[in-house]
Amino acid sequence: MKVFDLSEEIFENIRKTAPVVHNISNYITATDCANMTLACGGSPTMADDPEEVAQVASACHASVINMGNTAGYFEESMLRTGRANNEVGHPLVWDPVGAGGSSRRNAVVENLMNHLHFSIIRGNISEIKFVGDKSSSAKGVDADASDLASESNIQEIASYAKTLSKRLDTIIAISGPIDVVADADTAYLIRNGHPMMSRITGTGCMLSSAIGVFAAANPDHLLEATAVAVSAYGYAGELAYQKMLKTEGGTGSLRTFLIDYMSNMDPNTFLKGANITIAEESKVTD
Amino acid sequence: MKVFDLSEEIFENIRKTAPVVHNISNYITATDCANMTLACGGSPTMADDPEEVAQVASACHASVINMGNTAGYFEESMLRTGRANNEVGHPLVWDPVGAGGSSRRNAVVENLMNHLHFSIIRGNISEIKFVGDKSSSAKGVDADASDLASESNIQEIASYAKTLSKRLDTIIAISGPIDVVADADTAYLIRNGHPMMSRITGTGCMLSSAIGVFAAANPDHLLEATAVAVSAYGYAGELAYQKMLKTEGGTGSLRTFLIDYMSNMDPNTFLKGANITIAEESKVTD
Amino acid sequence: MKVFDLSEEIFENIRKTAPVVHNISNYITATDCANMTLACGGSPTMADDPEEVAQVASACHASVINMGNTAGYFEESMLRTGRANNEVGHPLVWDPVGAGGSSRRNAVVENLMNHLHFSIIRGNISEIKFVGDKSSSAKGVDADASDLASESNIQEIASYAKTLSKRLDTIIAISGPIDVVADADTAYLIRNGHPMMSRITGTGCMLSSAIGVFAAANPDHLLEATAVAVSAYGYAGELAYQKMLKTEGGTGSLRTFLIDYMSNMDPNTFLKGANITIAEESKVTD
């Protein structure tokens, strides 16, 4: 499978590039996002001042726009970062945190989508469905607990991700009990991770920052780089959970160990733990 | 004692509700507050954009207003959060961080108290005294080190808490060497916790977020839910301190272990460690 | 050597004073800066509201201005903090985060330098060179990887630090593979720390906060207090790295252990690990 064939090269490119990744983040998870960027082998720049973000973004290997904070100057900083990034043509990751959760947040989603082109969009199923079909809630197709990926609906979610990828010309990464990473042609299904990870704040945000590092160093293989990032991150979570049990810890230790295992991840460890398959063939309709 | 009789139900209500708790926090302790909310079994929403807080607060089981950050849009966000919360009638926790510490901060205290009704106010003795009697410093009764709770003045502090509870129609939680949680009729004295906890930033903020979870799932027993939260948190701190010694750690490990033990807290553990008594009878004067 | 002769007194002064240190920080590293302040034996006040910073700064033993965040009200808060601090004459530490990294950031550098007097400036070689010679990039002497301190250029860097110290009337602390702490007459070379520390976000910010504590309690020995802080911090990093290996951890654990070892640092531990020498005599030219 292509993702496994490329994985050693993907890690090696990070090591060789040590990419500088610009993150527009939020104050709840920014420290963890910066530390995750470093753990993955990247160098974080967290500049958010609207007066400097364009200059900073242009000089970085990739940018990650995390929509956690919409207040004050943040919407403007996200726009300027994205525009500068699009001009230089580097990978742009978007994490539409809380999309669908408030009218204000939804307006920011629309504004960003109208002005920017994203290379990769990562969110949970609710966020991605709102991004994909803004009128969804009115039509009753909004994500809720029953929409979460499971063995019974995963092929349908994979198909949705491929369709959305084609329509928005972007890679779609949907986090959940089973993760999906798709472009228009291929949807990888990733069965890594542990439910306990959802009891740490910022696990989604940190994953988006990790994807930023993998994408920054592998602009020619964005789909596979994203799938490797998602799978490696999930596997690090599994290892962290095991160590948490062994040390009789709880969610505080789990958070520390998650960063630990990402900082020690290498191609061999990855190949030992990665659980990736390809979704069944399905027509992509537009 | 009522607090022990109800404790199993209080934990069980959190497990059944998995309450969504809205926190207006500050960037120093927000990550820890979100992780503490999760550790207690709640789901944190940290939205602070004045354009969305009312909508978010209305949809949550409870809100926690942490006054750590008073700059920029934060005062407006606190007001809008509190108003929306008061309209739907859910528990509202207030942490008047630094009350009495600067003219600016004192003006925010007054503004919030003029417009909002709090279900629970938690602070240290200095903060609570400023909230209770704004002219206090002029009259020389401001809190200082000698005001900290001890065996010799604890009954007096308990009586003050009850009086204040009656006057402000709110539960009063005073953190210190001995904690006090009181309504107009009953003051629980809680002898849990460890002095080393004060060498971690945000131990007060995290406790307020924990109280938010316990209150959100137990709106009919706010006094007991608050007392259980304060005692469980203190006991988690004791256990964390023991593990810190055992692992030859320091304050960094203590912080991690505090969240660990709260994430593993259950009714049995709680009952093993809780040290709660009721303050002597005392007249409440107004 | 004077720094060793004074070290016991320097630690003892912190213990006796328990200095309150005001930090204007940034939301990426503020939690860690507050926890590091506490670990060193200080009490952090992180107030950043322009309406209160002057009052807060005046009441503290020292202030630390971390330039990480330049957006919104932060530039004004930095100025007001510095002015209030300069009026009462307490130690003022400046961490010019990212100086030279963007036009916006460089404008803030100039603004702060025009209006404030700093007691201690701490940064990496790039930041310090920008502070010292703003036109440097035009003249091709901007810091890059080859400028990093090594055995072959350390005397030259020490000489530069002394010259800059004399010109700006401030202590200069340059972090790198070998650290330099200098006034106009003496440059201490400090060979503590571990390269892995650069894989944690905020190691520079936390060190500046640590220096704030050491300076606050030792205003009469700022040079030695700064050197002790830098060396103790580096040694804590070495110990943290050893424990990280022993516990099979990664960068998440390293961050926790760094705070652990600073919270347990005492004069004896310091003297066991401190690696400080004095740079060769060299003319200071202006």
Side-chain angles (χ1 to χ4, degrees):
Chain A
M1 199 161 42
K2 198 177 172 192
V3 67
F4 291 123
D5 298 342
L6 285 170
S7 63
E8 189 166 348
E9 181 187 332
I10 286 169
F11 280 100
E12 179 61 14
N13 284 341
I14 296 174
R15 205 193 55 74
K16 282 190 302 194
T17 316
V20 182
V21 185
H22 179 213
N23 280 254
I24 298 284
S25 189
N26 66 80
Y27 64 82
I28 316 299
T29 64
T31 316
D32 291 336
C33 288
N35 275 320
M36 184 54 73
T37 300
L38 283 157
C40 292
S43 173
T45 301
M46 314 299 282
D48 68 9
D49 188 332
E51 303 304 321
E52 69 173 351
V53 289
Q55 191 181 0
V56 170
S58 303
C60 289
H61 293 91
S63 288
V64 179
I65 295 180
N66 177 305
M67 212 184 70
N69 198 342
T70 58
Y73 55 80
F74 271 85
E75 186 173 6
E76 185 60 27
S77 292
M78 291 190 259
L79 278 172
R80 293 188 188 181
T81 294
R83 276 200 195 106
N85 169 289
N86 281 178
E87 266 171 41
V88 294
H90 292 169
L92 181 62
V93 181
W94 183 35
D95 187 334
V97 180
S102 78
S103 314
R104 163 68 184 142
R105 212 154 276 264
N106 299 348
V108 178
V109 166
E110 192 150 344
N111 191 10
L112 294 177
M113 291 184 75
N114 283 343
H115 291 92
L116 305 178
H117 173 256
F118 300 105
S119 315
I120 302 160
I121 305 178
R122 192 217 64 85
N124 63 37
I125 184 72
S126 300
E127 291 158 350
I128 295 298
K129 283 203 167 176
F130 184 83
V131 164
D133 183 5
K134 276 169 233 74
S135 59
S136 58
S137 55
K139 295 178 187 167
V141 293
D142 237 11
D144 57 34
S146 68
D147 276 339
L148 280 176
S150 66
E151 296 303 340
S152 67
N153 69 355
I154 187 64
Q155 300 298 341
E156 190 188 336
I157 292 178
S159 174
Y160 176 74
K162 284 157 79 172
T163 306
L164 191 56
S165 171
K166 187 173 179 191
R167 175 147 56 87
L168 300 180
D169 184 27
T170 186
I171 287 163
I172 299 288
I174 305 177
S175 296
I178 304 169
D179 300 318
V180 177
V181 174
D183 67 7
D185 300 318
T186 307
Y188 289 114
L189 309 183
I190 300 168
R191 291 174 176 85
N192 286 113
H194 190 278
M196 193 84 168
M197 294 168 77
S198 65
R199 292 189 58 199
I200 314 171
T201 198
T203 36
C205 299
M206 282 189 273
L207 174 54
S208 295
S209 290
I211 290 172
V213 176
F214 281 74
N218 294 282
D220 297 336
H221 301 295
L222 286 183
L223 178 68
E224 284 71 25
T226 304
V228 169
V230 169
S231 174
Y233 185 81
Y235 184 48
E238 295 170 37
L239 295 170
Y241 177 75
Q242 292 303 325
K243 186 167 181 177
M244 183 198 84
L245 292 182
K246 205 178 115 193
T247 58
E248 297 177 10
T251 55
S253 293
L254 184 66
R255 174 191 181 209
T256 299
F257 296 156
L258 174 63
I259 293 179
D260 277 356
Y261 281 107
M262 276 307 271
S263 77
N264 291 329
M265 189 63 65
D266 57 34
N268 286 339
T269 310
F270 169 75
L271 287 171
K272 229 178 288 172
N275 187 338
I276 309 178
T277 58
I278 293 182
E280 286 165 19
E281 208 58 32
S282 65
K283 276 238 172 70
V284 169
T285 53
D286 206 346
Chain B
M1 196 160 45
K2 198 176 173 193
V3 67
F4 290 124
D5 297 341
L6 284 171
S7 64
E8 190 166 350
E9 181 187 332
I10 285 169
F11 279 101
E12 180 61 15
N13 284 341
I14 296 174
R15 203 193 55 75
K16 283 191 303 195
T17 314
V20 182
V21 184
H22 178 213
N23 280 254
I24 299 283
S25 190
N26 66 80
Y27 64 82
I28 316 299
T29 65
T31 315
D32 291 336
C33 287
N35 275 321
M36 184 53 73
T37 300
L38 284 156
C40 292
S43 173
T45 302
M46 313 300 282
D48 68 8
D49 188 333
E51 302 303 322
E52 70 172 351
V53 289
Q55 192 181 0
V56 170
S58 304
C60 290
H61 293 91
S63 288
V64 178
I65 294 180
N66 176 305
M67 212 183 70
N69 197 342
T70 58
Y73 55 80
F74 271 86
E75 186 172 7
E76 185 60 27
S77 293
M78 291 190 258
L79 278 171
R80 292 187 189 183
T81 294
R83 277 198 195 109
N85 170 288
N86 281 178
E87 267 171 40
V88 294
H90 292 167
L92 181 62
V93 180
W94 183 34
D95 187 335
V97 181
S102 78
S103 313
R104 164 70 185 140
R105 213 153 274 265
N106 300 349
V108 178
V109 167
E110 192 150 344
N111 192 10
L112 295 178
M113 290 185 76
N114 283 342
H115 291 94
L116 305 178
H117 173 255
F118 301 104
S119 314
I120 301 159
I121 305 177
R122 191 217 65 84
N124 62 36
I125 184 72
S126 300
E127 291 158 349
I128 295 298
K129 284 203 168 176
F130 184 84
V131 165
D133 183 5
K134 276 169 234 76
S135 59
S136 59
S137 55
K139 294 177 186 166
V141 292
D142 237 10
D144 58 34
S146 66
D147 276 337
L148 280 176
S150 66
E151 296 302 340
S152 66
N153 67 357
I154 188 64
Q155 300 299 340
E156 190 188 337
I157 291 178
S159 173
Y160 176 74
K162 284 157 82 171
T163 306
L164 190 57
S165 172
K166 187 172 178 190
R167 175 147 58 87
L168 299 180
D169 184 26
T170 187
I171 287 162
I172 298 289
I174 305 176
S175 297
I178 304 169
D179 300 318
V180 176
V181 175
D183 66 8
D185 300 319
T186 308
Y188 287 115
L189 308 184
I190 300 169
R191 291 176 176 83
N192 286 113
H194 189 278
M196 193 84 167
M197 294 169 76
S198 65
R199 291 189 59 198
I200 313 171
T201 196
T203 36
C205 300
M206 282 190 271
L207 174 54
S208 295
S209 290
I211 291 173
V213 176
F214 281 73
N218 294 281
D220 297 337
H221 300 295
L222 288 183
L223 178 67
E224 283 72 26
T226 304
V228 169
V230 170
S231 174
Y233 184 82
Y235 184 47
E238 295 170 38
L239 295 169
Y241 177 75
Q242 291 303 326
K243 187 167 180 176
M244 183 199 84
L245 291 183
K246 206 178 114 191
T247 58
E248 297 177 8
T251 55
S253 293
L254 184 67
R255 174 191 179 207
T256 300
F257 296 156
L258 174 64
I259 292 178
D260 277 356
Y261 281 107
M262 275 307 271
S263 76
N264 291 329
M265 189 62 65
D266 56 34
N268 286 339
T269 311
F270 169 75
L271 286 172
K272 227 178 291 171
N275 186 337
I276 311 179
T277 57
I278 293 182
E280 286 165 20
E281 209 58 31
S282 65
K283 275 238 175 67
V284 169
T285 53
D286 206 346
Chain C
M1 196 161 42
K2 196 176 173 192
V3 68
F4 291 124
D5 297 341
L6 283 172
S7 63
E8 190 166 348
E9 180 187 334
I10 285 169
F11 280 101
E12 179 61 14
N13 284 341
I14 296 175
R15 204 192 56 73
K16 283 190 302 193
T17 316
V20 182
V21 184
H22 178 213
N23 280 254
I24 298 283
S25 187
N26 65 81
Y27 64 82
I28 316 300
T29 64
T31 316
D32 291 337
C33 287
N35 275 321
M36 184 52 72
T37 300
L38 283 157
C40 292
S43 173
T45 301
M46 314 298 283
D48 68 9
D49 188 334
E51 302 305 321
E52 69 173 352
V53 290
Q55 191 181 0
V56 170
S58 303
C60 290
H61 294 90
S63 288
V64 178
I65 294 180
N66 175 305
M67 213 184 69
N69 198 342
T70 58
Y73 55 79
F74 271 86
E75 186 173 7
E76 185 60 27
S77 293
M78 290 190 261
L79 278 172
R80 293 188 189 182
T81 294
R83 277 199 196 107
N85 170 288
N86 280 177
E87 267 170 42
V88 294
H90 292 168
L92 181 61
V93 180
W94 182 35
D95 186 335
V97 180
S102 78
S103 313
R104 164 69 185 141
R105 213 154 274 266
N106 299 348
V108 178
V109 167
E110 191 150 346
N111 192 9
L112 294 178
M113 291 185 75
N114 282 344
H115 292 93
L116 304 178
H117 174 255
F118 301 104
S119 315
I120 302 159
I121 304 177
R122 191 217 66 85
N124 62 36
I125 184 73
S126 301
E127 292 158 349
I128 296 297
K129 282 204 169 176
F130 185 83
V131 164
D133 184 6
K134 277 169 234 77
S135 59
S136 59
S137 56
K139 295 178 186 166
V141 293
D142 238 10
D144 58 34
S146 67
D147 276 338
L148 281 175
S150 66
E151 297 302 341
S152 66
N153 68 356
I154 187 64
Q155 300 298 341
E156 191 188 335
I157 292 178
S159 174
Y160 177 73
K162 284 158 81 171
T163 306
L164 190 56
S165 171
K166 186 173 179 190
R167 174 148 56 88
L168 300 180
D169 183 27
T170 186
I171 288 162
I172 298 288
I174 304 176
S175 296
I178 304 169
D179 300 318
V180 176
V181 174
D183 66 8
D185 300 318
T186 307
Y188 287 115
L189 308 184
I190 300 169
R191 290 175 176 84
N192 287 111
H194 190 278
M196 193 85 167
M197 293 169 77
S198 66
R199 291 189 58 199
I200 313 171
T201 197
T203 35
C205 300
M206 282 189 272
L207 174 53
S208 295
S209 290
I211 291 172
V213 176
F214 281 74
N218 294 282
D220 297 336
H221 300 295
L222 286 183
L223 178 68
E224 283 73 24
T226 304
V228 169
V230 169
S231 174
Y233 184 82
Y235 184 48
E238 294 170 38
L239 295 169
Y241 177 75
Q242 291 304 326
K243 186 167 181 177
M244 184 198 85
L245 292 182
K246 206 178 115 191
T247 59
E248 296 178 9
T251 55
S253 293
L254 184 66
R255 174 192 180 208
T256 299
F257 297 155
L258 174 63
I259 293 179
D260 277 355
Y261 281 107
M262 274 307 271
S263 76
N264 292 328
M265 189 63 64
D266 58 33
N268 285 339
T269 310
F270 168 75
L271 286 172
K272 229 178 289 171
N275 187 337
I276 310 178
T277 57
I278 293 182
E280 285 166 20
E281 209 56 32
S282 66
K283 275 238 174 69
V284 169
T285 53
D286 208 345

